Amino acid sequence: MTGTNARHGRNDLDLHWTPTRRVAGCSDDSASYWDFGDRKEDPIHRIHSYPAKFPAFITTKALEYAEQQGLGVNVVADVFCGCGTTAVEAKRNGKNFWGCDINPVATLIAKVKTRHYRDAVLARYFDAIRDEFRRIESSPEDHARVSDRIRYWFEEPNIDDLIRLDRAIRRRTPANSPYRAFFLCGFSNILKPTSRWLTKSIKAQLDPHKSPRGVMDAFEDQFALMRNACGRSRIPTSDRRIRIRTQNFLASREPACRVDLIVTSPPYVTSYDYADIHQLSTLWLRCASDYRALRKNMLGNQYGVKPPAPAAVKSLGATAAETYRRLRREDRRKAHSVARYFLDMDKAVAKCWRMLNASGMAVFVIGNTQYKGVRIDNAKYLANCMERAGFRDIESFPRKVSWKIMTPYRNARGRFTRDSTQRRVYGEEFVVAGRRR
Ligand SMILES: C[S@@+](CC[C@H](N)C(=O)[O-])C[C@H]1O[C@@H](n2cnc3c(N)ncnc32)[C@H](O)[C@@H]1O
């Protein structure tokens, strides 16, 4: 494979995004090594929905790829770990793991997925929770504490049931135990079906025609799904160390630990608003009294971003600075948030470099976006950041996003569809890898 940084200038690496670059050992010429996995995903990956979750096989491929390059991997990290896809796969492959995410809902799911639960204990807790739920009543004070935001999404009978279910879980499971986290994770995943949130929408949108599901009915099904997933999961109950933190990756300059391989997918600018999408869970799980507070420090946040200083724009490199200037002509606020994102990505990539052991590797999965006709080449910019940080042997591989091949359009309500009259979404993203040497 060809290294790229030798060929290009420091500030503006011009990677050639050829469609079929191969990885040694990949036998199929027509597909990228990174397009498809060799096995079905472990059922544990499906216990809670999460937008922008990447396919589980990416981690296994990254481990294989690192080994092909002669890297021995003991500790894997995901610095934007989301719902814990890399964490689960690192554990499945017998590796230690360190990960963080700024979103507490994400880290709750990630922790639950990487723990081991005893089936008989789960069944006992579930019965106790259901009995408690039937027995207890909510009080007028409980209802007085319910926020207007929750009232906007939920009908009164389901609000009452959710108050009782939340209380039953907290009364019948030990505080801070993995079992409490398990049931709260289940509780979190029934919030959209039991509310008037437009089904499968990745935007906060109310469906006035929806008949929300009953709370206990949905919770029973959710428990069955999670119990079944735990029973069928092939993740070994190994002694590997799995550490997952709720934190802003950029909060400190120095990394919390050193690792051999980073496999991560940063947020894409102008893509998802994670605080918005998870507002039901954030509010019910009491992670924040105002879900919008979680936007602060989220990469790609588009609210309340100040204009960047001219020197900061210059430091982005020629391509990103040009993207900023073109966007500013269309929408100043958006342009500022894209510049902020670029600056944050630069810091995040530099911190990843510091986090790696000598000769360690980082594998980023990232897609490009477009706003008002301005193409935002996140992948190319990321490669620029990697070069600035000191990464060597930077390689980029386009990969097809398989589920977007089936439904390559998105309608005005944010739903993916086959309807070709709707807006086309990107069917391709990039795996960008580099070494610390
Ligand atoms: C593309 S998603 C990662 C999805 C993950 N690969 C998975 O499979 O679930 C990006 C994640 O970055 C997180 N994030 C955004 N800003 C962050 C920050 N400053 N520090 C840590 N995590 C952040 C978001 O909450 C989101 O979960």
Side-chain angles (χ1 to χ4, degrees), residues 147-155 159 196 204-206 279:
S147 69
D148 289 345
R149 195 74 198 150
I150 286 182
R151 288 190 199 289
Y152 173 78
W153 291 111
F154 293 87
E155 289 163 358
I159 292 181
R196 294 187 297 163
Q205 205 162 1
L206 195 113
Q279 58 180 279

Side-chain angles (χ1 to χ4, degrees), residues 24-283:
C26 172
S27 55
D28 185 354
D29 252 341
S30 62
S32 154
Y33 170 81
W34 302 95
D35 282 354
F36 302 103
D38 307 330
R39 52 189 299 161
K40 238 178 132 188
E41 277 201 359
D42 194 280
I44 204 71
H45 286 294
R46 288 191 293 275
I47 63 168
H48 196 299
S49 59
Y50 199 79
K53 171 191 170 303
F54 64 24
F57 67 77
I58 294 279
T59 306
T60 309
K61 294 257 174 183
L63 278 161
E64 261 174 34
Y65 178 70
E67 273 156 25
Q68 279 175 18
Q69 314 279 311
L71 176 66
V73 179
N74 178 27
V75 189
V76 177
D78 184 345
V79 301
F80 303 107
C81 75
C83 67
T85 312
T86 305
V88 170
E89 293 302 303
K91 190 174 177 200
R92 197 171 65 74
N93 283 286
K95 308 295 177 191
N96 295 306
F97 177 82
W98 185 94
C100 75
D101 199 287
I102 200 167
N103 177 1
V105 181
T107 51
L108 170 71
I109 307 167
K111 284 178 187 164
V112 168
K113 282 183 181 174
T114 46
R115 281 169 178 159
H116 182 67
Y117 296 92
R118 286 174 46 216
D119 186 66
V121 180
L122 284 177
R124 234 181 14 250
Y125 277 128
F126 179 73
D127 289 344
I129 291 166
R130 194 173 40 192
D131 289 349
E132 185 76 18
F133 171 81
R134 287 181 182 144
R135 198 166 36 235
I136 54 179
E137 286 186 2
S138 59
S139 67
E141 294 77 45
D142 290 329
H143 283 266
R145 277 196 291 271
V146 172
S147 69
D148 289 345
R149 195 74 198 150
I150 286 182
R151 288 190 199 289
Y152 173 78
W153 291 111
F154 293 87
E155 289 163 358
E156 200 50 45
N158 274 4
I159 292 181
D160 191 68
D161 282 357
L162 286 165
I163 291 172
R164 292 189 301 127
L165 179 56
D166 175 54
R167 177 149 314 150
I169 293 170
R170 290 174 198 272
R171 273 196 192 160
R172 289 311 194 115
T173 54
N176 303 321
S177 72
Y179 287 93
R180 177 174 292 183
F182 178 96
F183 287 103
L184 288 178
C185 178
F187 178 89
S188 166
N189 203 38
I190 66 164
L191 292 171
K192 283 183 181 161
T194 57
S195 72
R196 294 187 297 163
W197 187 285
L198 179 69
T199 306
K200 293 209 169 130
S201 172
I202 43 90
K203 285 185 185 161
Q205 205 162 1
L206 195 113
D207 180 354
H209 309 295
K210 181 173 166 185
S211 301
R213 285 197 70 187
V215 167
M216 198 24 105
D217 197 34
F219 191 64
E220 281 183 11
D221 286 354
Q222 174 70 22
F223 174 65
L225 175 116
M226 291 175 75
R227 186 180 180 190
N228 189 304
C230 289
R232 288 177 38 232
S233 174
R234 295 171 304 275
I235 313 297
T237 50
S238 64
D239 56 356
R240 300 290 89 184
R241 208 165 160 218
I242 309 291
R243 286 170 292 168
I244 295 167
R245 308 265 179 273
T246 306
Q247 67 177 61
N248 169 11
F249 179 57
L250 294 181
S252 66
R253 192 181 175 279
E254 285 316 308
C257 62
R258 289 295 199 94
V259 306
D260 307 303
L261 175 67
I262 296 175
V263 184
T264 197
S265 169
Y268 307 172
V269 66
T270 78
S271 175
Y272 296 109
D273 179 339
Y274 293 95
D276 212 30
I277 297 172
H278 291 116
Q279 58 180 279
L280 306 186
S281 301
T282 303
L283 294 170

